[in-house]
Amino acid sequence: MQNWESLLTVAVVIGLMAGLALRVAAAELLALAALAVLVVAGSLVPGAALPTPAEAFQGFGSESLVTIALLFVVVAGLELTGGAELATGWFLNGARKPVDARMRLLVPVAVVSGFLNNTPVVAGMLPVVNDLSKKIGDSSSRFLMPMSYAAILGGMCTLIGTSTNMVIRDLYVGQTGQQLGFFSPAWIGVPATLVGLVYLIFGSRLLPDRKPGVSLADDPQQYTVEMQVERGGNLVGKTIEQAGLRRLPGLYVAEIQRVDEQGESRIVAARPGERLWADDVLILVGALESVVDLKKIRGLITPDDQARKLQVPAWRRTLVEAVVSPRCSSLGKSIRESRFRSRYNAAVVAVARGGKRVEGKLGDIRLEVGDVLLLEASPSFLHRQQTSRDFYLVSQVEQGAVRRPERAWTAITIVLLMVFAAAFTAVPISVAALVAAVATVATRCCRSDEARRSVDWAILIVIGAAIGIGSALEKSGAAKAIADGLLSLAGRHPYYCLAAVYLATMICTEFVTNVAAATLMFYIATQTAANLNVDETPFVIAVMIAASASFLTPFGYQTNAMVYGVGGYRFGDYVRFGLPLTLIVFAVAMVVIPRVFPF
């Protein structure tokens, strides 16, 4: 490195990597700061071998970045309609043992992650894993880390499976003018995924048994909730056990109120083997988290379907907690007598009173001071009632957005059509994602404000800044100097150089973000191929795979970070469980890449 531009660029990159590894600030802030240093330096010195502002910022308008943002919206539609649960529920509900449950969970996650960006896929599956772990009575930590790894493996198989693949594809097309096929990474991704899944499913001895630091299931507040078995629903004829009503922690079915064939009302004991009839009214008592989980169970509705009578469409409702004050106009009256739904345009879902069960049917409960009501209402209810004398405290329930199950098949259809168009037609990936995102919002699978909130802007900022920093590596000559160093270490042998590029990318990915590592290593990989006078495609594919193969730390890949706190993991858990998988993927890549993509 003989010019000041390359020295400055390398210093900035080292500083960025150190900052990311030490977590001195948010990843997006560090990436923007590094880019700013290079842009300012290039602007102050005319003719400097550094990117111009237009070149530095072109990453923020790249096709891959826009595509990733659109895919977040598409997956949000799946999550908010319960489409993920619908698509996987039939497969997951039969799980009885941990190994069986991991197989039923990880195979669909790996397959779906090949066709949707794996970060939002994992986000959408978090509640599914939570429900699955409850059903089989095992810790969620035995599923979350394997799910993250399965999503990473599946994402290796296509160009849209992970953000790194899309970014590398754009850089490859821009530099060579050649196209990579939709399934080009699958030559390595598929065998690595198959072998990796066997390890993830059966390597249970290395899986930690952890508890998250905070569990909503530990909430001592006991709600009394009333649900009705939907006529014609999928729960009719099933036992309480089969319906999954005994697997929600901190919740039990207190009684079943039933109208028999003679038209007489009677109370039935809630035994595990008791079969549910159409229109059965279930009285349940449990913690808030489990009450919210009841809303996800298909075939259960509020009695008389009160929620559907609200003057608010389902896609605008949310769950709200409200505490009854001494000046509430409904005080002393039953919920039915007070015409609660008409008065507040909100349906009472559950009632909690001093940590004990409230006797009687929900509509017959007379409100007392301090009663905590769980309501299904519009977001505007929060603003109207915060200044009202009727309630002490009004707050929105976390994860309380009311699902839109009637649109679940619509969301699934949109995703399937998008994947088909991107994989098997001439429609570009970006166009397919754009149409799918617009359709998701237009069909009310996802509101426009929810679509905006679903986009992980931090990831997009890191991608845009990393592309600009990568161009500085190339323009300043730093990439060539680093490539020369790799060649000298590898003895100028293409195979050894390929391994060196893979390992360097993998190590960078473990300590910085995968997109930043992939973008920076792309220029080094292509320069290495140019110095060897060989085809650059195997080196580009190696960067694609290695940038995703982050299994040793919770910080190298977004999905690992997402499950880190939720699963209550420690740093060493990733090293112990991830190291064998890292070696598996490296071995597969080194065997397959030179044969499918010869030098």
Side-chain angles (χ1 to χ4, degrees), residues 116-392:
L116 290 175
N117 187 284
N118 50 21
T119 302
V121 167
V122 169
M125 289 298 291
L126 285 177
V128 177
V129 173
N130 189 37
D131 294 344
L132 179 64
S133 63
K134 293 172 185 175
K135 288 178 181 177
I136 67 168
D138 201 1
S139 171
S140 61
S141 66
R142 294 188 178 275
F143 298 94
L144 290 170
M145 190 187 294
M147 180 182 70
S148 172
Y149 290 173
I152 292 172
L153 290 171
M156 295 178 180
C157 298
T158 68
L159 288 182
I160 65 171
T162 174
S163 54
T164 56
N165 287 4
M166 286 187 278
V167 171
I168 294 299
R169 182 209 60 166
D170 273 7
L171 295 174
Y172 181 79
V173 172
Q175 184 157 314
T176 67
Q178 303 177 41
Q179 288 286 345
L180 284 173
F182 185 86
F183 291 107
S184 292
W187 289 101
I188 303 91
V190 169
T193 299
L194 292 175
V195 179
L197 284 175
V198 173
Y199 166 71
L200 294 177
I201 293 169
F202 296 101
S204 58
R205 291 186 179 180
L206 297 175
L207 278 171
D209 185 3
R210 307 287 188 204
K211 282 189 176 181
V214 178
S215 175
L216 291 177
D218 297 332
D219 184 1
Q221 188 84 270
Q222 294 293 302
Y223 278 95
T224 299
V225 60
E226 192 174 294
M227 302 297 288
Q228 185 173 349
V229 178
E230 185 178 17
R231 181 178 292 274
N234 62 311
L235 297 186
V236 177
K238 289 186 177 180
T239 65
I240 291 178
E241 180 76 31
Q242 291 170 340
L245 296 174
R246 291 183 58 85
R247 297 172 184 167
L248 297 176
L251 180 139
Y252 65 93
V253 183
E255 63 184 48
I256 302 174
Q257 298 178 354
R258 175 178 296 165
V259 178
D260 61 21
E261 296 174 351
Q262 286 73 40
E264 297 181 3
S265 298
R266 59 191 179 95
I267 295 178
V268 180
R271 296 183 297 270
E274 181 66 35
R275 294 196 177 275
L276 300 174
W277 293 15
D279 298 328
D280 274 356
V281 175
L282 311 179
I283 307 297
L284 306 103
V285 180
L288 175 61
E289 183 185 35
S290 293
V291 172
V292 172
D293 286 342
L294 283 174
K295 303 289 293 180
K296 304 175 186 177
I297 298 178
R298 295 175 181 277
L300 289 182
I301 59 175
T302 52
D304 302 321
D305 220 357
Q306 291 294 314
R308 291 192 183 182
K309 297 177 183 178
L310 294 175
Q311 298 174 359
V312 182
W315 52 271
R316 289 187 55 202
R317 298 180 206 146
T318 190
L319 292 179
V320 176
E321 281 187 304
V323 182
V324 177
S325 79
R327 292 184 285 184
C328 179
S329 57
S330 299
L331 198 64
K333 300 178 182 178
S334 71
I335 293 173
R336 185 177 293 105
E337 289 172 350
S338 66
R339 302 176 63 84
F340 195 97
R341 176 177 54 80
S342 301
R343 182 188 297 269
Y344 300 105
N345 196 24
V348 179
V349 175
V351 178
R353 178 178 296 165
K356 62 183 180 181
R357 177 191 169 190
V358 185
E359 300 288 341
K361 297 188 67 173
L362 200 63
D364 297 330
I365 294 175
R366 294 188 178 276
L367 298 180
E368 298 181 5
V369 176
D371 282 353
V372 183
L373 308 181
L374 185 64
L375 309 173
E376 187 169 328
S378 69
S380 63
F381 178 89
L382 290 163
H383 305 293
R384 293 198 312 268
Q385 299 304 323
Q386 281 175 345
T387 57
S388 169
R389 301 187 308 169
D390 287 356
F391 303 104
Y392 273 134

Side-chain angles (χ1 to χ4, degrees), residues 9 93 100 167 180 230 233 260 293 295 406 537 539 541:
T9 303
N93 287 340
D100 181 35
V167 171
L180 284 173
E230 185 178 17
D260 61 21
D293 286 342
K295 303 289 293 180
E406 69 279 1
T537 303
F539 292 87
I541 295 294

